[in-house]
Amino acid sequence: IPSSRDSQTITKVLTTLDLEEIRLSAKAGESILEALKGNSVITTLKLGYNRLASKSADAITQVLKHNQTLTSVTLRGTE
């Protein structure tokens, strides 16, 4: 299990995150949101076809509005 310090390091270098079709829950969406708060380099985020509540998807979208490097977000097919 990565430590919070490991997570901070990963989010500073993570440019692509593809988690489509892996049955993520709303709780997992919240964890992703927390992990991506400090990321300013991500360019691609794919979360489509998961079980994210619209609240989670909206929250992720709000956090990433401040990321100027993000060029592609996929949330289609989320429940």
Coordinates of all heavy atoms in Angstrom, one line a residue:
I1 N 0.9 -1.2 0.0 CA 0.0 0.0 0.0 C 0.9 1.2 0.0 O 1.7 1.4 0.9 CB -0.9 0.0 1.2 CG1 -1.8 -1.2 1.2 CG2 -1.7 1.3 1.3 CD1 -2.7 -1.4 2.4
P2 N 0.7 2.1 -1.0 CA 1.6 3.3 -1.1 C 1.3 4.2 0.1 O 0.1 4.4 0.5 CB 1.2 3.9 -2.4 CG 0.2 3.1 -3.0 CD -0.2 2.0 -2.1
S3 N 2.3 4.9 0.5 CA 2.1 5.9 1.6 C 1.6 7.2 1.0 O 1.6 7.3 -0.3 CB 3.4 6.2 2.3 OG 4.3 6.9 1.4
S4 N 1.2 8.1 1.8 CA 0.7 9.4 1.3 C 1.8 10.1 0.6 O 1.6 10.8 -0.4 CB 0.0 10.1 2.4 OG 0.6 11.3 2.7
R5 N 3.0 9.9 1.1 CA 4.2 10.6 0.4 C 4.4 10.0 -1.0 O 4.7 10.7 -1.9 CB 5.4 10.3 1.3 CG 6.6 11.1 0.7 CD 7.8 10.9 1.7 NE 8.8 11.9 1.4 CZ 9.8 12.1 2.1 NH1 10.0 11.5 3.2 NH2 10.7 13.0 1.7
D6 N 4.2 8.6 -1.1 CA 4.3 8.0 -2.5 C 3.3 8.6 -3.4 O 3.5 8.8 -4.6 CB 4.2 6.5 -2.4 CG 5.3 5.8 -1.6 OD1 6.4 6.4 -1.6 OD2 5.1 4.7 -1.1
S7 N 2.1 8.7 -2.9 CA 1.0 9.2 -3.7 C 1.3 10.6 -4.2 O 1.0 11.0 -5.3 CB -0.3 9.2 -2.9 OG -0.7 7.9 -2.6
Q8 N 1.8 11.5 -3.3 CA 2.2 12.8 -3.7 C 3.2 12.8 -4.8 O 3.1 13.6 -5.7 CB 2.7 13.6 -2.5 CG 1.6 13.9 -1.5 CD 2.2 14.5 -0.2 OE1 3.4 14.6 0.0 NE2 1.3 14.9 0.7
T9 N 4.2 11.9 -4.7 CA 5.2 11.8 -5.7 C 4.6 11.4 -7.1 O 4.9 12.0 -8.1 CB 6.4 10.9 -5.3 OG1 6.9 11.3 -4.1 CG2 7.4 10.8 -6.4
I10 N 3.8 10.4 -7.0 CA 3.1 9.9 -8.2 C 2.3 10.9 -8.9 O 2.4 11.1 -10.1 CB 2.3 8.6 -7.9 CG1 3.2 7.5 -7.6 CG2 1.4 8.3 -9.1 CD1 2.5 6.3 -7.0
T11 N 1.5 11.7 -8.1 CA 0.7 12.7 -8.8 C 1.4 13.9 -9.4 O 0.9 14.6 -10.2 CB -0.4 13.2 -7.8 OG1 0.2 13.9 -6.7 CG2 -1.3 12.1 -7.3
K12 N 2.7 14.0 -9.0 CA 3.5 15.1 -9.6 C 4.1 14.7 -10.9 O 4.5 15.6 -11.7 CB 4.6 15.5 -8.6 CG 4.0 16.3 -7.4 CD 5.1 16.7 -6.5 CE 4.4 17.4 -5.3 NZ 5.4 17.8 -4.3
V13 N 4.1 13.4 -11.2 CA 4.6 13.0 -12.5 C 3.6 12.2 -13.4 O 3.9 12.0 -14.6 CB 5.9 12.1 -12.3 CG1 7.0 12.8 -11.6 CG2 5.5 10.8 -11.5
L14 N 2.5 12.0 -12.9 CA 1.4 11.2 -13.6 C 0.9 12.1 -14.7 O 0.3 13.2 -14.5 CB 0.3 10.8 -12.7 CG -0.8 10.0 -13.3 CD1 -0.4 8.6 -13.7 CD2 -2.0 10.0 -12.3
T15 N 1.0 11.7 -16.0 CA 0.5 12.4 -17.1 C -0.8 11.8 -17.7 O -1.6 12.5 -18.3 CB 1.5 12.7 -18.2 OG1 1.9 11.4 -18.7 CG2 2.7 13.5 -17.7
T16 N -0.9 10.5 -17.6 CA -2.1 9.8 -18.1 C -2.6 8.8 -17.1 O -1.9 8.0 -16.5 CB -1.7 9.0 -19.4 OG1 -1.2 9.9 -20.4 CG2 -2.9 8.2 -20.0
L17 N -3.9 8.9 -16.9 CA -4.6 7.9 -16.0 C -5.8 7.3 -16.7 O -6.7 8.0 -17.0 CB -5.0 8.7 -14.7 CG -5.7 7.8 -13.6 CD1 -4.8 6.7 -13.2 CD2 -6.1 8.7 -12.5
D18 N -5.7 6.0 -17.0 CA -6.7 5.3 -17.7 C -7.3 4.3 -16.8 O -6.7 3.2 -16.6 CB -6.2 4.7 -19.0 CG -7.3 4.0 -19.8 OD1 -8.4 3.9 -19.4 OD2 -7.0 3.7 -21.0
L19 N -8.5 4.6 -16.3 CA -9.2 3.7 -15.4 C -10.6 3.3 -15.9 O -11.5 3.0 -15.2 CB -9.3 4.3 -14.0 CG -8.0 4.6 -13.3 CD1 -8.3 5.4 -12.0 CD2 -7.2 3.3 -13.0
E20 N -10.7 3.3 -17.2 CA -12.0 3.0 -17.8 C -12.4 1.5 -17.6 O -11.5 0.6 -17.6 CB -12.0 3.2 -19.3 CG -12.1 4.7 -19.7 CD -12.4 5.0 -21.1 OE1 -11.9 4.2 -22.0 OE2 -13.0 6.0 -21.4
E21 N -13.7 1.3 -17.4 CA -14.2 -0.1 -17.3 C -13.6 -1.0 -16.3 O -13.4 -2.2 -16.5 CB -14.2 -0.8 -18.7 CG -15.0 0.0 -19.8 CD -15.0 -0.7 -21.1 OE1 -15.3 -1.9 -21.1 OE2 -14.7 -0.1 -22.1
I22 N -13.3 -0.5 -15.1 CA -12.7 -1.3 -14.1 C -13.6 -1.3 -12.8 O -13.2 -1.7 -11.7 CB -11.3 -0.9 -13.7 CG1 -11.2 0.5 -13.1 CG2 -10.4 -1.1 -14.9 CD1 -9.9 0.8 -12.5
R23 N -14.9 -0.9 -13.0 CA -15.9 -1.0 -11.9 C -15.5 -0.1 -10.7 O -15.7 -0.6 -9.6 CB -16.2 -2.4 -11.5 CG -16.7 -3.2 -12.7 CD -17.0 -4.6 -12.3 NE -17.4 -5.4 -13.4 CZ -18.1 -6.4 -13.4 NH1 -18.6 -6.9 -12.2 NH2 -18.4 -7.1 -14.5
L24 N -15.0 1.1 -10.9 CA -14.7 2.0 -9.8 C -16.0 2.4 -9.1 O -17.0 2.6 -9.8 CB -14.1 3.3 -10.3 CG -12.6 3.2 -10.8 CD1 -12.2 4.5 -11.3 CD2 -11.7 2.8 -9.6
S25 N -16.0 2.5 -7.8 CA -17.2 2.9 -7.1 C -17.1 4.4 -6.8 O -16.1 5.1 -7.1 CB -17.2 2.2 -5.7 OG -16.0 2.6 -4.9
A26 N -18.1 5.0 -6.3 CA -18.2 6.4 -5.9 C -17.0 6.7 -4.9 O -16.4 7.7 -5.0 CB -19.5 6.8 -5.4
K27 N -16.8 5.8 -4.0 CA -15.8 6.0 -3.0 C -14.4 6.0 -3.6 O -13.6 6.8 -3.3 CB -15.8 4.9 -1.9 CG -14.8 5.1 -0.8 CD -15.1 4.1 0.4 CE -14.0 4.3 1.4 NZ -14.5 4.8 2.7
A28 N -14.2 5.2 -4.6 CA -12.9 5.2 -5.3 C -12.8 6.5 -6.1 O -11.7 7.1 -6.1 CB -12.9 4.0 -6.3
G29 N -13.9 7.0 -6.6 CA -13.9 8.4 -7.3 C -13.4 9.4 -6.3 O -12.6 10.3 -6.7
E30 N -13.8 9.4 -5.1 CA -13.4 10.4 -4.1 C -11.9 10.2 -3.8 O -11.2 11.3 -3.7 CB -14.2 10.1 -2.8 CG -15.7 10.5 -2.9 CD -16.4 10.1 -1.6 OE1 -15.8 9.9 -0.6 OE2 -17.7 10.0 -1.7
S31 N -11.4 9.0 -3.8 CA -10.0 8.8 -3.6 C -9.1 9.4 -4.7 O -8.1 10.0 -4.5 CB -9.7 7.3 -3.4 OG -10.3 6.8 -2.2
I32 N -9.6 9.2 -5.9 CA -9.0 9.7 -7.1 C -8.9 11.2 -7.1 O -7.9 11.8 -7.3 CB -9.7 9.2 -8.4 CG1 -9.4 7.7 -8.5 CG2 -9.2 9.9 -9.6 CD1 -10.3 7.0 -9.6
L33 N -10.0 11.8 -6.7 CA -10.1 13.2 -6.5 C -9.1 13.7 -5.6 O -8.3 14.7 -5.9 CB -11.5 13.6 -6.1 CG -11.7 15.1 -5.7 CD1 -11.5 16.0 -6.8 CD2 -13.1 15.3 -5.0
E34 N -9.0 13.1 -4.5 CA -8.0 13.5 -3.5 C -6.5 13.4 -4.0 O -5.7 14.3 -3.8 CB -8.1 12.7 -2.2 CG -7.3 13.1 -1.0 CD -7.7 14.5 -0.6 OE1 -8.8 14.9 -0.6 OE2 -6.7 15.3 -0.1
A35 N -6.3 12.3 -4.7 CA -4.9 12.1 -5.2 C -4.6 13.1 -6.3 O -3.4 13.4 -6.5 CB -4.8 10.6 -5.8
L36 N -5.6 13.5 -7.1 CA -5.3 14.4 -8.2 C -5.2 15.9 -7.8 O -4.9 16.7 -8.7 CB -6.3 14.2 -9.3 CG -6.2 12.9 -10.1 CD1 -7.4 12.8 -11.1 CD2 -4.9 12.7 -10.8
K37 N -5.6 16.2 -6.6 CA -5.6 17.6 -6.2 C -4.2 18.3 -6.4 O -4.2 19.4 -6.8 CB -5.9 17.7 -4.7 CG -7.4 17.7 -4.5 CD -7.7 17.9 -3.0 CE -9.2 17.9 -2.8 NZ -9.6 18.1 -1.4
G38 N -3.1 17.6 -6.2 CA -1.8 18.2 -6.4 C -1.2 18.0 -7.7 O 0.0 18.3 -7.9
N39 N -1.9 17.4 -8.6 CA -1.3 17.1 -9.9 C -1.5 18.2 -10.9 O -2.6 18.7 -11.2 CB -2.0 15.8 -10.5 CG -1.4 15.4 -11.8 OD1 -1.4 16.1 -12.8 ND2 -0.8 14.2 -11.9
S40 N -0.4 18.7 -11.4 CA -0.5 19.8 -12.4 C 0.1 19.5 -13.7 O 0.4 20.3 -14.5 CB 0.2 21.1 -11.8 OG 1.6 20.8 -11.6
V41 N 0.3 18.1 -13.9 CA 0.9 17.7 -15.2 C 0.1 16.7 -16.0 O 0.4 16.4 -17.1 CB 2.3 17.1 -14.9 CG1 3.3 18.1 -14.4 CG2 2.3 15.9 -14.0
I42 N -1.0 16.2 -15.4 CA -1.8 15.2 -16.1 C -2.4 15.8 -17.4 O -2.9 16.9 -17.4 CB -2.9 14.7 -15.1 CG1 -3.6 13.4 -15.8 CG2 -4.0 15.7 -14.8 CD1 -4.4 12.6 -14.8
T43 N -2.4 15.0 -18.4 CA -2.9 15.5 -19.7 C -4.1 14.7 -20.1 O -5.0 15.2 -20.8 CB -1.9 15.4 -20.8 OG1 -1.4 14.0 -21.0 CG2 -0.7 16.3 -20.6
T44 N -4.2 13.4 -19.7 CA -5.3 12.5 -20.1 C -5.9 11.8 -18.8 O -5.2 11.2 -18.1 CB -4.8 11.5 -21.1 OG1 -4.2 12.1 -22.2 CG2 -6.0 10.6 -21.6
L45 N -7.2 11.9 -18.7 CA -7.9 11.2 -17.6 C -9.1 10.5 -18.2 O -10.0 11.1 -18.8 CB -8.4 12.3 -16.6 CG -9.2 11.7 -15.4 CD1 -8.4 10.7 -14.5 CD2 -9.7 12.9 -14.5
K46 N -9.1 9.2 -18.0 CA -10.2 8.3 -18.5 C -10.8 7.6 -17.4 O -10.2 6.7 -16.8 CB -9.6 7.3 -19.5 CG -9.1 8.0 -20.8 CD -8.6 6.9 -21.8 CE -8.0 7.5 -23.0 NZ -7.6 6.5 -24.0
L47 N -12.1 7.9 -17.1 CA -12.8 7.3 -16.0 C -14.1 6.7 -16.5 O -15.0 6.3 -15.7 CB -13.1 8.3 -14.9 CG -11.8 8.8 -14.2 CD1 -12.2 9.9 -13.2 CD2 -11.1 7.7 -13.5
G48 N -14.3 6.6 -17.8 CA -15.6 6.2 -18.4 C -16.0 4.8 -18.0 O -15.1 3.9 -17.7
Y49 N -17.3 4.5 -18.0 CA -17.9 3.2 -17.8 C -17.5 2.6 -16.5 O -17.1 1.5 -16.3 CB -17.5 2.2 -19.0 CG -17.9 2.8 -20.3 CD1 -17.0 3.3 -21.2 CD2 -19.2 2.8 -20.7 CE1 -17.3 3.9 -22.4 CE2 -19.6 3.3 -21.9 CZ -18.7 3.9 -22.7 OH -19.1 4.4 -23.9
N50 N -17.7 3.4 -15.4 CA -17.5 3.0 -14.1 C -18.8 3.3 -13.3 O -19.7 3.8 -13.8 CB -16.3 3.7 -13.4 CG -15.0 3.1 -13.9 OD1 -14.7 1.9 -13.6 ND2 -14.2 3.8 -14.7
R51 N -18.7 3.0 -12.0 CA -19.9 3.2 -11.2 C -19.7 4.5 -10.3 O -20.1 4.5 -9.1 CB -20.1 2.0 -10.3 CG -20.5 0.8 -11.1 CD -20.8 -0.4 -10.3 NE -21.2 -1.5 -11.1 CZ -21.0 -2.8 -10.8 NH1 -20.5 -3.1 -9.7 NH2 -21.4 -3.7 -11.7
L52 N -19.2 5.5 -10.9 CA -19.0 6.7 -10.2 C -20.3 7.4 -10.1 O -21.1 7.5 -11.1 CB -18.0 7.6 -10.9 CG -16.6 7.1 -11.1 CD1 -15.8 8.1 -12.0 CD2 -15.9 6.9 -9.8
A53 N -20.6 8.0 -9.0 CA -21.8 8.8 -8.8 C -21.6 10.1 -9.6 O -20.4 10.5 -9.7 CB -22.1 9.0 -7.3
S54 N -22.6 10.7 -10.0 CA -22.4 12.0 -10.8 C -21.7 13.0 -9.9 O -21.0 13.8 -10.3 CB -23.7 12.5 -11.3 OG -24.6 12.8 -10.2
K55 N -22.0 12.9 -8.6 CA -21.3 13.8 -7.6 C -19.8 13.7 -7.7 O -19.0 14.6 -7.7 CB -21.8 13.5 -6.2 CG -21.2 14.4 -5.1 CD -21.8 14.0 -3.8 CE -21.1 14.8 -2.7 NZ -21.5 14.4 -1.4
S56 N -19.3 12.4 -7.8 CA -17.8 12.2 -7.9 C -17.3 12.7 -9.2 O -16.2 13.4 -9.2 CB -17.5 10.7 -7.8 OG -17.9 10.1 -6.6
A57 N -18.0 12.5 -10.3 CA -17.5 12.9 -11.6 C -17.5 14.5 -11.6 O -16.6 15.1 -12.1 CB -18.4 12.4 -12.7
D58 N -18.5 15.1 -11.0 CA -18.6 16.6 -11.0 C -17.5 17.1 -10.1 O -16.8 18.1 -10.5 CB -19.9 17.0 -10.4 CG -21.1 16.8 -11.4 OD1 -20.9 16.5 -12.6 OD2 -22.2 16.8 -10.9
A59 N -17.2 16.5 -9.0 CA -16.1 16.9 -8.1 C -14.7 16.8 -8.8 O -13.9 17.7 -8.7 CB -16.1 16.1 -6.8
I60 N -14.5 15.7 -9.5 CA -13.3 15.5 -10.3 C -13.1 16.6 -11.3 O -12.1 17.2 -11.5 CB -13.2 14.1 -10.9 CG1 -13.0 13.1 -9.8 CG2 -12.0 14.0 -11.9 CD1 -13.2 11.7 -10.2
T61 N -14.2 16.9 -12.0 CA -14.2 17.9 -13.1 C -13.8 19.3 -12.5 O -13.0 20.0 -13.0 CB -15.6 18.0 -13.8 OG1 -15.8 16.7 -14.3 CG2 -15.6 19.0 -14.9
Q62 N -14.4 19.6 -11.3 CA -14.1 20.9 -10.7 C -12.7 21.0 -10.3 O -12.1 22.1 -10.5 CB -15.0 21.0 -9.4 CG -16.5 21.3 -9.7 CD -16.7 22.5 -10.6 OE1 -16.1 23.6 -10.4 NE2 -17.5 22.4 -11.6
V63 N -12.1 20.0 -9.7 CA -10.7 20.0 -9.3 C -9.8 20.2 -10.5 O -8.9 21.0 -10.5 CB -10.3 18.8 -8.5 CG1 -8.8 18.7 -8.4 CG2 -10.9 18.8 -7.1
L64 N -10.1 19.5 -11.6 CA -9.2 19.5 -12.8 C -9.4 20.8 -13.6 O -8.6 21.0 -14.5 CB -9.4 18.2 -13.6 CG -9.0 17.0 -12.9 CD1 -9.3 15.8 -13.7 CD2 -7.5 17.1 -12.5
K65 N -10.4 21.6 -13.3 CA -10.6 22.8 -14.1 C -9.4 23.7 -13.9 O -9.1 24.5 -14.7 CB -11.8 23.6 -13.6 CG -13.1 23.2 -14.2 CD -14.2 24.1 -13.7 CE -15.5 23.8 -14.4 NZ -16.6 24.7 -13.9
H66 N -8.7 23.5 -12.8 CA -7.5 24.4 -12.5 C -6.2 23.8 -13.0 O -5.2 24.4 -12.9 CB -7.4 24.5 -10.9 CG -8.7 25.1 -10.4 ND1 -9.0 26.5 -10.6 CD2 -9.6 24.6 -9.6 CE1 -10.1 26.7 -9.9 NE2 -10.6 25.6 -9.4
N67 N -6.3 22.7 -13.7 CA -5.2 22.0 -14.3 C -5.1 22.5 -15.7 O -5.9 22.2 -16.6 CB -5.3 20.5 -14.2 CG -4.1 19.8 -14.8 OD1 -3.8 20.1 -16.0 ND2 -3.6 18.9 -14.1
Q68 N -4.0 23.3 -16.0 CA -3.9 23.8 -17.4 C -3.3 22.9 -18.4 O -3.2 23.2 -19.6 CB -3.1 25.1 -17.3 CG -3.9 26.2 -16.5 CD -3.2 27.5 -16.5 OE1 -2.2 27.7 -17.2 NE2 -3.7 28.4 -15.6
T69 N -2.8 21.7 -18.0 CA -2.2 20.8 -18.9 C -3.2 19.7 -19.4 O -2.9 19.0 -20.3 CB -1.0 20.1 -18.2 OG1 -1.5 19.4 -17.1 CG2 0.1 21.1 -17.9
L70 N -4.4 19.6 -18.7 CA -5.3 18.5 -19.0 C -5.9 18.8 -20.4 O -6.5 19.9 -20.6 CB -6.4 18.5 -18.0 CG -7.4 17.4 -18.1 CD1 -6.7 16.1 -17.8 CD2 -8.5 17.6 -17.1
T71 N -5.8 17.9 -21.3 CA -6.4 18.0 -22.7 C -7.5 17.1 -23.0 O -8.2 17.3 -24.0 CB -5.2 17.9 -23.7 OG1 -4.7 16.6 -23.6 CG2 -4.2 19.0 -23.6
S72 N -7.6 16.0 -22.2 CA -8.7 15.0 -22.5 C -9.2 14.4 -21.2 O -8.4 13.9 -20.4 CB -8.0 13.9 -23.4 OG -9.0 12.9 -23.6
V73 N -10.5 14.4 -21.1 CA -11.2 13.8 -20.0 C -12.4 12.9 -20.5 O -13.1 13.4 -21.3 CB -11.8 14.8 -19.0 CG1 -12.6 14.1 -17.9 CG2 -10.7 15.7 -18.4
T74 N -12.4 11.7 -20.1 CA -13.5 10.8 -20.5 C -14.3 10.3 -19.3 O -13.7 9.7 -18.4 CB -13.0 9.5 -21.2 OG1 -12.2 9.9 -22.3 CG2 -14.1 8.7 -21.7
L75 N -15.6 10.7 -19.2 CA -16.4 10.3 -18.1 C -17.7 9.6 -18.7 O -18.6 9.3 -17.9 CB -16.8 11.5 -17.3 CG -15.7 12.2 -16.5 CD1 -16.2 13.5 -15.9 CD2 -15.1 11.3 -15.5
R76 N -17.7 9.4 -20.0 CA -18.9 8.8 -20.6 C -19.2 7.4 -20.0 O -18.4 6.7 -19.6 CB -18.8 8.7 -22.1 CG -17.8 7.6 -22.5 CD -17.7 7.5 -24.0 NE -16.5 6.7 -24.3 CZ -15.4 7.1 -24.8 NH1 -15.3 8.4 -25.1 NH2 -14.4 6.3 -25.0
G77 N -20.5 7.2 -19.9 CA -21.0 5.9 -19.4 C -20.9 5.6 -17.9 O -21.0 4.5 -17.5
T78 N -20.6 6.7 -17.2 CA -20.5 6.5 -15.7 C -22.0 6.5 -15.2 O -22.8 7.2 -15.7 CB -19.7 7.6 -15.0 OG1 -20.3 8.9 -15.4 CG2 -18.3 7.6 -15.4
E79 N -22.2 5.8 -14.1 CA -23.5 5.7 -13.5 C -23.6 6.6 -12.4 O -22.7 7.0 -11.7 CB -23.7 4.2 -13.0 CG -23.7 3.2 -14.1 CD -23.8 1.8 -13.5 OE1 -24.1 1.6 -12.3 OE2 -23.6 0.9 -14.3

